[in-house]
Structures are given as C-alpha cells and as structure tokens.
RNA sequence: GCUGGGAUGGUGGAAUGGUAGACACGAUAGGUUUAGGACCUAUUGCUCGUAAGAGCGUGGAGGUUCAAAUCCUCUUCCCAGCACCA
C-alpha cells in the first residue's frame, strides 16, 4: 500500500464531512440526546492554543463515540468575543475591535476544521452579534424587573492598567488583576450589581444534585462560605448605642474581654470619648487610605486605638473596652468583633499588643487549664468548657447550642447565616461589551429599555479607549446617549456602562439550542429536549467565575420559568493545562509556544489529536514533548501498514485473537466514558502490537480496530474504512444505514481458558501456576499443585504452613 | 492558617487490596540503508552474580492484613484555591 501522508488524507475528508453535514444535531430526534459542551473560546489574535486542541479533540472523541453508539449528539462551538482581552488586543494594534474580532474568528474556524473537530457548525454563535446580545440584555432586564439588578455605591477593585473596575472573582489573592497582573486599588463607585447572594443557598444546596469533581465542588462551597452564627447585641455603658457582633463561637463568650470595631464602622464617632477623639480620627484616616500592598507588607502586626467606651457582656455584666482596629474588616459579618483572646489567634495577638486580659474558657488539648500566655496555647476547637458558669463541663458543641438558645431567649442575640460570597459587580467602564439596557430619567429614575427596543446596539466609536476617569467611553457618544425617556418622553440619558465579559457566557449553552430564534432566548421545547448539558468540559480556573456565575444566571432563568431544569450542567469534567517543552507556561516571551498548525503540517491532525490525549491523564498538567508526538506518528504509520496484512480469505479467529479484541473493546469503551483517554490509546497500541506480530489479520479484527480508533483519529480511519470497500462513513451510523456501529464486547471472551495463579509465601511471589479454567474453584487441587512446585518447596522446606488463603483465579498465599 | 489534590524507573505515565513499572519516549546492541534520517529485532527499575538465581524497591516512619503504590496514623516536600472571614 502507498505511504501514509496525512496531508493527502485529511483535507479530503474534512471537505466531504462538511458537504454531507455529518455532524449535525437533530432537534427532537427519536434517538437519545447527548449534549456535550466545551467552554467556548475568546478568539484571540494568537489563534488556537494546543490547550484548546487537547480539550476539544478529547471531547470530540467522546462525542464521536456517543454518535457511533446511536446517540443524537450536540457538540457545538461559538465565540466569546466581548470583553477586555479583545479590546486590549485591538488597542495594541491600533484598530477597532469590530474589525479584529471577525478576523480572529475566521482564523479559529479554519484551525478547528483542520483538526477535524465534529462541531455542528450550523449552530455557531458570537456574543458580539446584536442578535445574540439582544438576549443577554433581555436577561439583564429580567434581573432588573425582579430587583436582582441594582445600583449601589460600592468599593470596587480598580485596575489602573486596564482602567476598569473588576469583580472580586477577577482579583487574585495578592490583589492583582487575574488577566494583566497589575495591582488593583479599592475605589468607591456607583456600580450595577447582581444579587447573586440571594442564590447562595441554592447554589450550595444543589451542588448535591450534580456530578462535579470534588475539587470543583469544594472550591465553590468555600467561595460561597456559608457560616452559621449569631449576632450578639451588646449595650454600651453610659450610652444609648449598641454594638452588634457576629460570631460563630458564642460558647466562648465568658472569655470575651474586649470589642473591636473595624475602622469603617458607622458608630465609632458616637462612641468615642472626647479625650480619645483626635487619635481615633487619625487612626481611621491612616487605615482607610492604606492600600492592599501596604496591608500585605505590614503582615499581621496588630494596630489599634481605644475609644474610651465599654460594652457590657450580657452573660456576666463584665465591662469590655471598645477598640478600633483594621484587622476587623468592614464587609465581613457586622464589621465588629467580640474579642476572645484565649481562643482566637488574632484576638490573642491584639490582647498581647495592648495588654488586655486573656481568659481560658476551653480546656486545652493536653488538659491544661492554666491562664494562656503563649499563642501556641490558643485553641479554636475541641475540649470542655471551664470558667463559664452555666456552660461549665459541656462539650463546645453543646455549649454553643445552649448559649445561643439562652441569648435568643433573653433577646440578646439572633441566629444568622453569613456568607463569604458578595453581590456581583456587573458593570464595566469599557467600550467593548454589551450596553446595559437602562435609561436614566431625571423624573422617572431608572427606566428599563422596553423589550421591543432591544437590542441596544453598541454604537461605533472611533475613539473607544478607556478614559481612566471611571466613566465609560460611551459617555462621549452624545447622539447615542441622549434619548427620550420611554416612560414620560422627557429628556433622558442612556446608561453608559457595559457588561463584563462574563455576561455573554452566562447563557450561551442555551442559544446553541436555537441560535436563530428572534422571538425568545431559545424555544421552550428545544430547551426541554436538550437540557441539561450532559457533560461540560472546562478548566479549573473558571470554578468560582464562569461556572458559578452561569449556574446562578441559569437558576434565575429557571425560577422565572424560562429554563427547564434547576441546574445547567449534569456533569463537569476538568482538563489540565499544557505547558511548553521547557515546563513553563506557553508564552511568546519565553519563546516556547507550540503552534498546532506546525504540528498538523508536519505530522497531521490525527497525530496531534492522539498525542494530546496520550500525553498524560486528562485532568493533569502536562508538558509538551516533541519526541512523544513522533511516537504517536509512528503508531499511526503502523496502523496504516497493517492494511497489508489484511487477509482476503475469511479466516476464523483464534481464542487468543478474540480475547484481546474483546478486552480492548471493553477497555476503550470504558476509558472514553471515564475520561481516561491516555489509557484508551495505550490499549489500542497494545492491540496493534499484537496484530502486527500476526501473519494475517482478519477482516473482523481489522474493522473492529478501525471502529475503536475512529473517535481518536477520524481521518486515517475514514480513509482505511473506504480502502476496504465500505461505502458509508465510519463515523455516523445514521448515514451508515445502521450497517456498523460502536463495537460491543462479549463477556465470554473475557474469561481466559487457562489462568495463571500466583503462589505467594509470606507475601512474596515464588511461582506462577497455569491452571485450566474448570479446576479453578477446586482449592485442594490448587493447594496440592502449589506445594508440589520445586520453587515453592524450596521455601516451604523446614517450615510449617500456618495459614492458606486462596483467591480463585488469582492467587494462593501461604503463611509460614 | 484553612480546604482540596499530589509524590511510582533516565522521562511522561500504568496498576485503587492480589504477578509494581502497561503503553510511550529515551538509551544500548544488532540488522537494513550510499550517508543522515526513517524502519525492523532484542535488551532496558536498582544491587550482587558469567549465569541460574537472590536481595531491595512506589517521598519518610509506623500500623492493619495471608497479601499494601492502593486502607489507617504520624511526618516531609510539591501544586491549586481561599485567607486578619470573627
């Protein structure tokens, strides 16, 4: 047979598949539906990354297998083209984003097709298309209608480089912007927010109903950060004011020796005695102007000032001095903390710094009941209560319940639930995004753009760079901004902020179901047919961003009767990133970027696809290795050459032939289902090694081999399928007229006729017996055979067997 | 500090209580080739040994078990996320 030249095979089939509409999904088809989703990309100027290729070709293999199994598979793609990256890229080139985006999309599309991905191109979407973002704006109006979208003055994370504010989720732990790496600043600004906190409990609770990796679910749970505690109200001596403190550990309240207010707390000035006023004001000024960098640089050294006032502990009427310190954060709990230095490390440090009393109310791990003098003795959990009157001798959990009941009964406190999750800052002062469809009228206030006037199209602005003043560049589009109020007809102005880049991706998976619908977001019946997404493949980095956001938006759509299910994604599976050959993240500046086009030119798309699946476990970080690519190319060449061994005469298969064939069918089927592509490919290689050693390969084996390989290497298998005289595509049983589909294994060929049984003595392998299947369960015979073995006798001599364990078909173990 | 994940040959990795190292890369030797590459065959965890064989071996220490990479306890290091979160 002629040589394997990928470039002679691949484009030919890509063209044919497109002409035949091979990978279309059919709405309402009788076959079982399967919705396979990948995270749609931001079409960057750099073109496809090998990481995209890995994730998409793996899910492509998954989709192809499902189709061969007879499912009606939806595997769509689109473009998430609004947002900062597209805008910054356009600025760097000095052109308009609306010119750049279509070019980038065209490039991505060409590349996707060159890889042979089986996307249903008839459902392609683009978030910057007004026909698409009409519905992104519509969703916003629904949020507004239900009072879940609102404006408020909030401290925002300002990125001085990108000149916009950001959501908390977009700022990393060190205070830098996740995209550009520049340190952000806190600013007060009027912003649009979405009330995601109202969905905190549902987002938490319903994690139980979906199949997410543990790591992903845990991360969302942590981010939502639900905590049950109590707000305790303390009276202030000689004052009408009260201080409310949130705590999850009211059991330790007999150990409370002071109160700390965060510097933003509103009642500080009312509580401060004249004598201390100047110092307090100075402290507040100093701490509130402190930047994130300064805070981190300072470490955890405690600072603070005394107000001169005292709060009264409800439990024992003890006076507790009220202090101010910036270790108490304004946005956490009630912005005020009751200081229990014996059982909280921060409180201990504060008490030490300012010489405040430290009392132990929980017995230490080692039974220690003495006064606490060192931070190592501070203990936050475990033990029994002491020095706590009616709580003494109780376990901390019992004490917590008892004291909460007591405080509530007496009216000193109220059980509350607190969350780490904050409302979602949803406006950006940037050009390249969906305009927020709201009109500001001096008479009527905030007026939503009527649904019939959607979409509010983004006007073409020549000068679209961010102003840096905190105002969107859209404010300069006077003609666009000035509109009559839809309510009263008077003079009014459009909202000039745009939505964040997450807006379009919140709901895109619904638009694939009905991309041309101009009456609604998507047809109700189509949504009911396709939803939920059966498997959603995406990166870990979106766990508390896109994945959480889109769950929230979808749940809202469900609650207003638009979406058909309570959760959008039945199953989530993550992928690991692909690093450059030097083990570093691929980046132009390191010069370690692998361009998929180069690999396709040199080795072909099938090699690229299989290599990326074979390189390691799918959810792990993998380093690119050119030698590995060559290894896979070698494998496909050997597949190609196998054709020469095809036996034209019908021959029957040996028992061994059948066993390895059925074993491989089982392994590959199971591994694809479990996202273990690396071992699926390995077992194909094993079978190929076996087949290559044979004189002749039967047609049955050959066809089965090609069918199993088809999801991984769609081009070469299609070509070889044709070479053996098959008329229809290997990929689509529907077009195959049901002639051939995904192979099934037969259990009877998985059992071996002769089984090797390992003989162990004291856990060490000493011999291997080959046993006929029919005496497998006869322990006596096996035991006798084992003892007769020369190798075994050597080790048994002079010892008596104390115990014998026999696991049929596997092992016989002697303890001597 | 908290939460989650991880550590296996020269390398990527396989094996989730039952023959550790599948598969691939690399390496070594031989074959083939005008040469290089490509291809084919064999070997390849470590130590001792000409060999037969023996001992050791899954970050470290201990435990459960006839049997542990796998389960339990402690511990070291690495990765990810969160973090003065009350």
């Amino acid at each position: 047979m002629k040589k394997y030249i990928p470039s002679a095979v691949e484009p030919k089939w890509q063209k044919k598949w497109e002409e035949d509409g091979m990978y279309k999904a059919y709405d309402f088809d009788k076959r079982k539906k399967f919705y396979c989703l990948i995270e749609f990309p931001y079409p960057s100027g750099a073109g496809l990354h090998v990481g995209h290729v890995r994730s998409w070709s793996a899910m492509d293999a998954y989709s192809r297998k499902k189709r061969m199994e007879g499912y009606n598979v939806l595997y769509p793609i689109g473009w998430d083209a609004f947002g900062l990256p597209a805008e910054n890229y356009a600025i760097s080139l000095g052109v308009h984003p609306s010119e750049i985006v279509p070019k980038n999309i065209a490039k991505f599309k060409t590349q996707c097709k060159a890889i042979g991905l089986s996307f249903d191109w008839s459902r392609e979407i683009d978030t910057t298309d007004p026909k698409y973002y009409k519905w992104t704006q519509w969703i916003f109006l629904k949020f507004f209608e239900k009072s879940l979208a609102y404006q408020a003055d909030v401290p925002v994370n300002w990125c001085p480089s990108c000149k916009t504010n950001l959501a908390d989720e977009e700022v990393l732990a060190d205070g830098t912007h996740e995209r550009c790496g520049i340190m952000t600043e806190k600013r007060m600004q009027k912003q649009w927010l979405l009330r995601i906190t109202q969905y905190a409990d549902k987002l938490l609770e319903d994690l139980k109903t979906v199949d997410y990796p543990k790591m992903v679910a845990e991360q969302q749970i942590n981010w939502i950060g639900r905590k049950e505690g109590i707000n305790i109200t303390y009276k202030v001596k000689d004052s009408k004011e009260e201080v409310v403190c949130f705590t999850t550990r009211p059991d330790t309240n007999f150990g409370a020796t002071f109160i700390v207010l965060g510097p933003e707390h509103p009642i500080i000035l009312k509580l401060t005695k004249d004598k201390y006023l100047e110092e307090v004001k100075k402290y507040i000024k100093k701490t509130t102007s402190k930047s994130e960098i300064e805070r981190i640089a300072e470490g955890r050294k405690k600072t603070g000032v005394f107000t001169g006032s005292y709060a009264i502990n409800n439990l024992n009427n003890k006076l507790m001095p009220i202090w101010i310190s910036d270790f108490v954060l304004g946005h956490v709990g009630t912005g005020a903390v009751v200081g229990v230095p014996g059982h909280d490390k921060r409180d201990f440090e504060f008490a030490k710094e300012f010489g405040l009393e430290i009392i132990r109310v929980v017995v230490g791990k080692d039974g220690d009941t003495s006064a606490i003098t060192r931070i190592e003795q501070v203990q936050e959990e475990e033990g029994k209560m002491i020095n706590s009157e009616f709580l003494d001798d109780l376990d901390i959990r019992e004490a917590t319940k008892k004291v909460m009941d007591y405080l509530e009964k007496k009216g000193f406190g109220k059980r509350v639930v607190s969350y780490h999750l904050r409302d979602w800052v949803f406006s950006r002062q940037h050009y390249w995004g969906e305009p927020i469809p709201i009109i500001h009228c001096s008479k009527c206030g905030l007026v939503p753009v009527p649904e019939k006037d959607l979409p509010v199209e983004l006007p073409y602005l020549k000068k679209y760079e961010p102003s840096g003043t905190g105002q969107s560049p859209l404010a300069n589009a006077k003609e666009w901004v000035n509109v009559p109020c839809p309510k009263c007809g008077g003079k009014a102005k459009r909202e000039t902020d745009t939505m964040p880049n997450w807006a379009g991706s919140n709901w895109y998976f619904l638009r694939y179901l009905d991309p041309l619908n101009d009456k609604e977001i998507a047809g109700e019946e189509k949504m009911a047919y396709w939803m939920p997404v059966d498997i959603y493949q995406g990166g870990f980095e979106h766990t508390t961003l896109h994945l959480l956001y889109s769950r929230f938006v979808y749940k809202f759509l469900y609650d207003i009767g638009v979406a058909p299910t309570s959760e959008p994604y039945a199953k989530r599976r993550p992928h690991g990133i692909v690093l450059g050959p030097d083990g570093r993240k691929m980046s132009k500046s390191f010069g370690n970027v692998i361009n998929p086009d180069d690999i396709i030119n040199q080795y072909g798309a099938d090699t690229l696809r299989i290599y990326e699946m074979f390189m390691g476990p799918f959810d792990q970080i993998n380093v690119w290795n050119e030698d590995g690519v060559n290894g896979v190319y070698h494998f496909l060449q050997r597949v190609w050459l196998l054709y020469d061994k095809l036996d034209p005469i019908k021959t029957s298969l040996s028992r061994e032939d059948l066993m390895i064939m059925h074993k491989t069918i089982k392994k590959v089927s199971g591994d694809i289902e479990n996202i273990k592509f690396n071992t699926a490919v390995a077992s194909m290689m094993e079978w190929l090694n076996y087949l290559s050693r044979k004189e002749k390969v039967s047609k049955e084996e050959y066809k089965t081999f090609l069918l199993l390989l088809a999801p991984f290497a769609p081009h070469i298998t299609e070509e070889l399928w044709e070479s053996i005289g098959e008329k229809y595509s290997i990929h689509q049983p529907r077009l195959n007229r049901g002639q051939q589909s995904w192979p099934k294994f037969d259990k009877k060929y998985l059992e071996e006729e002769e089984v090797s049984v390992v003989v162990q003595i004291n856990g060490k392998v000493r011999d291997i017996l080959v046993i006929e299947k029919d005496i497998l369960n006869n322990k006596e015979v096996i035991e006798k055979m084992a003892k007769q073995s020369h190798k075994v006798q050597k080790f048994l001599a002079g010892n008596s067997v104390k115990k014998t364990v026999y696991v049929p078909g596997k092992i016989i173990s002697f303890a001597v």
Side-chain angles (χ1 to χ4, degrees):
Chain A
M1 195 175 173
K2 59 191 192 291
K3 240 185 117 189
Y4 171 49
I5 302 164
S7 58
V9 173
E10 295 179 348
K12 171 181 138 193
W13 289 110
Q14 286 157 11
K15 192 164 161 260
K16 177 112 174 53
W17 294 335
E18 194 161 353
E19 284 164 6
D20 292 351
M22 277 270 295
Y23 306 118
K24 271 206 172 72
Y26 296 87
D27 297 327
F28 314 121
D29 192 277
K30 273 192 210 107
R31 291 171 297 165
K32 241 182 133 184
K33 71 97 183 178
F34 192 88
Y35 190 173
C36 180
L37 186 67
I38 45 133
E39 288 176 341
F40 70 156
Y42 147 65
S44 80
L48 276 190
H49 186 273
V50 287
H52 290 127
V53 178
R54 182 157 197 252
S55 155
W56 301 351
S57 51
M59 293 326 279
D60 189 62
Y62 196 102
S63 295
R64 285 175 183 275
K65 181 217 174 207
K66 283 283 174 193
R67 279 192 207 99
M68 290 169 82
E69 284 179 328
Y71 284 86
N72 179 28
V73 174
L74 172 55
Y75 186 43
I77 188 162
W79 318 105
D80 189 15
F82 264 141
L84 274 183
E87 186 176 297
N88 288 345
Y89 181 67
I91 291 173
S92 73
L93 292 184
V95 292
H96 199 268
S98 65
E99 288 168 39
I100 282 292
V101 165
K103 278 186 196 158
N104 290 354
I105 288 177
K107 185 169 183 189
F108 265 63
K109 251 176 112 158
T110 309
Q111 288 182 302
C112 285
K113 289 185 178 175
I115 296 162
L117 296 170
S118 64
F119 292 130
D120 179 349
W121 290 100
S122 69
R123 294 167 184 262
E124 181 185 353
I125 55 171
D126 167 7
T127 56
T128 65
D129 181 348
K131 291 192 196 95
Y132 179 91
Y133 69 71
K134 172 182 179 177
W135 299 104
T136 310
Q137 291 173 331
W138 179 85
I139 292 171
F140 185 90
L141 290 181
K142 289 290 156 190
F143 273 117
F144 184 74
E145 189 183 310
K146 303 285 177 192
S147 304
L148 292 174
Y150 65 99
Q151 269 193 307
D153 268 310
V154 288
V156 294
N157 309 294
W158 174 262
C159 175
S161 165
C162 300
K163 294 177 181 161
T164 185
N165 59 314
L166 303 166
D168 287 348
E169 288 83 353
E170 292 169 299
V171 178
L172 301 179
D174 62 358
T176 59
H177 181 195
E178 56 126 8
R179 283 236 174 235
C180 71
I182 301 294
M183 185 59 72
T184 59
E185 299 160 9
K186 286 276 178 198
R187 271 194 186 186
M188 287 302 278
Q189 211 167 41
K190 197 167 204 178
Q191 295 293 329
W192 282 96
L193 290 104
L194 294 186
R195 231 179 272 280
I196 190 172
T197 49
Q198 194 158 314
Y199 276 77
D201 278 330
K202 276 187 188 170
L203 288 168
L204 196 62
E205 201 50 35
D206 289 350
L207 280 173
K208 290 177 196 146
T209 69
V210 292
D211 175 7
Y212 286 11
K214 198 175 174 185
M215 200 200 268
V216 171
E218 287 291 330
Q219 234 182 79
Q220 290 206 346
I221 291 167
N222 285 346
W223 187 256
I224 293 167
R226 186 181 199 276
K227 278 189 202 99
E228 290 180 14
I230 186 165
N231 277 348
I232 305 176
T233 305
Y234 297 101
K235 290 210 159 51
V236 177
K237 193 178 168 243
D238 306 324
S239 164
K240 272 182 275 180
E241 298 297 332
E242 292 174 333
V243 180
V244 181
C245 297
F246 174 75
T247 177
T248 56
R249 295 294 308 280
D251 53 310
T252 60
N253 228 251
F254 281 100
T257 56
F258 57 93
I259 297 274
V260 190
L261 308 179
E264 302 92 345
H265 204 284
I267 66 165
I268 289 176
L269 295 179
K270 288 181 199 161
L271 289 182
T272 307
K273 303 283 186 212
D274 293 344
K275 196 173 132 194
Y276 301 95
L277 200 56
E278 201 180 315
E279 212 185 326
V280 165
K281 279 184 176 167
K282 225 167 83 188
Y283 182 78
I284 292 173
K285 203 176 164 201
K286 197 179 93 194
T287 51
T288 48
S289 66
K290 222 186 265 180
S291 75
E292 216 54 45
I293 310 174
E294 288 168 305
R295 281 202 178 211
I296 290 162
E298 233 170 48
R300 305 201 166 189
K301 177 142 171 55
K302 299 289 177 289
T303 59
V305 282
F306 181 45
T307 60
S309 286
Y310 292 84
I312 303 159
N313 190 339
N314 305 304
L315 297 174
N316 53 10
N317 293 321
K318 196 171 167 141
L319 289 182
M320 304 181 288
I322 301 176
W323 284 70
I324 299 163
S325 174
D326 66 348
F327 86 83
V328 176
L329 307 174
H331 60 272
V332 177
T334 57
V337 160
V338 52
V340 183
H343 303 283
D344 180 282
K345 291 205 160 96
R346 293 152 311 195
D347 294 352
F348 178 86
E349 286 162 2
F350 192 78
K352 271 281 171 195
E353 188 68 33
F354 296 103
L356 300 163
E357 189 185 3
I358 301 166
I359 303 172
R360 188 195 289 271
V361 289
V362 180
V363 178
K365 282 190 195 103
D366 46 5
D368 188 6
T369 56
S370 62
I372 292 169
T373 54
R374 285 175 295 114
I375 194 151
E376 302 84 65
Q377 294 172 310
V378 174
Q379 164 192 337
E380 290 167 34
E381 285 288 334
E382 297 176 66
K384 289 210 184 302
M385 307 303 302
I386 48 168
N387 301 327
S388 296
E389 300 180 17
F390 65 92
L391 299 179
D392 280 353
D393 293 328
L394 290 177
D395 171 84
I396 57 163
R397 266 159 276 275
E398 296 161 355
T400 303
K401 193 182 174 302
K402 192 166 177 182
V403 76
M404 278 193 178
D405 288 344
Y406 174 83
L407 290 168
E408 278 199 320
K409 211 170 110 196
K410 291 273 185 176
F412 297 141
K414 194 170 183 316
R415 280 179 163 94
V416 286
V417 178
S418 111
Y419 299 91
H420 172 255
L421 186 71
R422 310 249 78 82
D423 274 346
W424 178 12
V425 176
F426 201 68
S427 42
R428 300 288 182 276
Q429 292 70 48
H430 263 253
Y431 171 67
W432 195 239
E434 301 87 346
I436 291 176
I438 294 288
I439 290 166
H440 298 263
C441 172
S442 53
K443 264 191 238 160
C444 314
L446 296 173
V447 182
V449 171
E451 208 178 309
K452 66 173 174 54
D453 295 341
L454 293 183
V456 176
E457 286 204 32
L458 184 66
Y460 185 89
L461 282 190
K462 255 210 156 114
K463 207 179 157 326
Y464 61 87
E465 288 82 1
S467 61
T469 59
Q471 206 183 29
S472 161
L474 283 178
N476 300 324
K478 296 282 181 259
E479 275 176 39
W480 180 83
V481 168
N482 294 306
V483 283
C485 169
K487 244 189 198 167
C488 70
K491 276 192 177 175
K493 281 183 189 298
R494 286 191 191 280
E495 170 64 58
T496 58
D497 280 0
T498 53
M499 299 189 202
N501 57 320
W502 313 105
S505 60
N506 278 331
W507 67 282
Y508 74 108
F509 49 91
L510 289 175
R511 194 60 181 173
Y512 286 138
L513 310 180
D514 201 1
L516 302 175
N517 194 328
D518 58 358
K519 301 277 183 305
E520 53 197 340
I521 190 166
E524 198 179 332
E525 286 172 12
K526 290 182 181 174
M527 286 194 273
Y529 176 78
W530 286 109
M531 289 301 286
V533 170
D534 293 279
I535 187 165
Y536 191 17
Q537 208 287 308
F540 286 110
E541 70 275 17
H542 288 137
T543 301
T544 54
L545 290 162
H546 161 70
L547 191 65
L548 188 66
Y549 292 154
S550 60
R551 285 183 64 218
F552 157 57
V553 171
Y554 186 83
K555 281 179 170 304
F556 168 71
L557 291 174
Y558 174 65
D559 284 352
I560 62 169
V562 172
T565 54
S566 65
E567 281 285 338
Y569 322 117
K571 202 182 201 180
R572 170 80 172 180
R573 289 291 178 268
H575 63 249
I577 52 170
V578 180
L579 300 177
D582 55 358
R584 293 187 292 184
K585 206 178 159 189
M586 282 188 198
S587 150
K588 261 191 207 158
S589 56
F590 295 146
N592 61 352
V593 177
I594 303 290
N595 184 344
D597 296 342
D598 298 342
I599 307 295
I600 292 173
N601 288 338
Q602 199 178 342
Y603 300 96
D606 283 339
T607 295
L608 174 65
R609 296 167 57 115
I610 295 187
Y611 169 64
E612 293 216 39
M613 285 185 251
F614 183 61
M615 69 197 302
F618 191 61
D619 57 357
Q620 262 178 43
I621 296 172
N622 289 103
V623 175
W624 190 271
N625 175 4
E626 186 84 30
D627 288 333
V629 180
N630 200 52
V632 169
Y633 185 56
H634 181 206
F635 165 67
L636 287 181
Q637 278 177 319
R638 293 176 62 216
V639 169
W640 186 265
L641 291 173
L642 192 67
Y643 180 85
D644 295 334
K645 294 203 174 193
L646 188 57
D647 190 354
I649 307 151
K650 200 174 153 73
T651 42
S652 58
L653 294 172
S654 75
R655 174 90 197 166
E656 206 189 350
D657 294 339
L658 286 164
M659 271 172 44
I660 186 159
M661 178 164 97
H662 285 268
K663 213 180 88 192
T664 310
I665 297 171
K666 183 173 186 233
K667 178 80 178 147
V668 173
S669 307
D671 280 355
I672 294 178
E673 208 55 51
N674 296 320
I675 319 292
K676 290 166 84 173
F677 303 105
N678 55 334
T679 49
V681 173
S683 69
M684 291 301 297
M685 288 174 170
E686 250 178 287
W687 191 21
L688 179 69
N689 288 344
Y690 174 84
L691 293 174
S692 301
R693 278 194 295 270
K694 292 199 348 168
E695 203 53 41
K696 285 281 169 201
V697 171
S698 81
K699 198 153 181 183
E700 186 189 353
E701 282 175 305
Y702 192 72
K703 281 173 76 172
T704 306
F705 184 88
L706 292 183
L707 285 163
L708 288 185
L709 189 63
F712 303 97
H715 308 91
I716 190 173
T717 49
E718 188 80 309
E719 178 75 16
L720 292 168
W721 192 248
E722 190 191 49
S723 301
I724 57 169
E726 291 289 338
K727 276 189 188 151
Y728 304 109
S729 169
I730 192 169
H731 296 297
Q732 188 66 292
R734 190 185 161 107
L735 299 174
N736 266 354
R737 320 294 197 272
Q739 285 185 359
Q740 192 57 275
S741 58
W742 188 252
K744 287 194 177 66
F745 64 89
D746 189 332
K747 257 195 219 151
K748 78 177 175 216
Y749 298 118
L750 297 178
E751 286 173 27
E752 319 226 352
E753 242 153 34
E754 285 183 338
V755 178
S756 18
V757 171
V758 172
V759 185
Q760 280 189 351
I761 295 162
N762 287 347
K764 286 208 163 65
V765 178
R766 294 305 176 186
D767 199 8
I768 296 166
L769 304 174
V770 178
I771 307 283
E772 305 258 325
K773 208 170 91 187
D774 39 320
I775 57 160
L776 253 189
N777 291 314
N778 193 334
K779 189 185 164 184
E780 282 76 34
V781 174
I782 308 269
E783 194 177 327
K784 213 170 137 194
M785 282 175 71
K787 282 183 177 164
Q788 274 166 359
S789 147
H790 290 296
K791 291 178 188 169
V792 171
Q793 276 181 345
K794 213 162 74 184
F795 291 93
L796 286 181
N799 292 308
S800 64
V801 175
K802 271 192 231 143
K803 190 169 178 181
T804 306
V805 176
Y806 177 56
V807 182
K810 288 214 166 135
I811 205 159
I812 180 156
S813 178
F814 298 109
V816 300

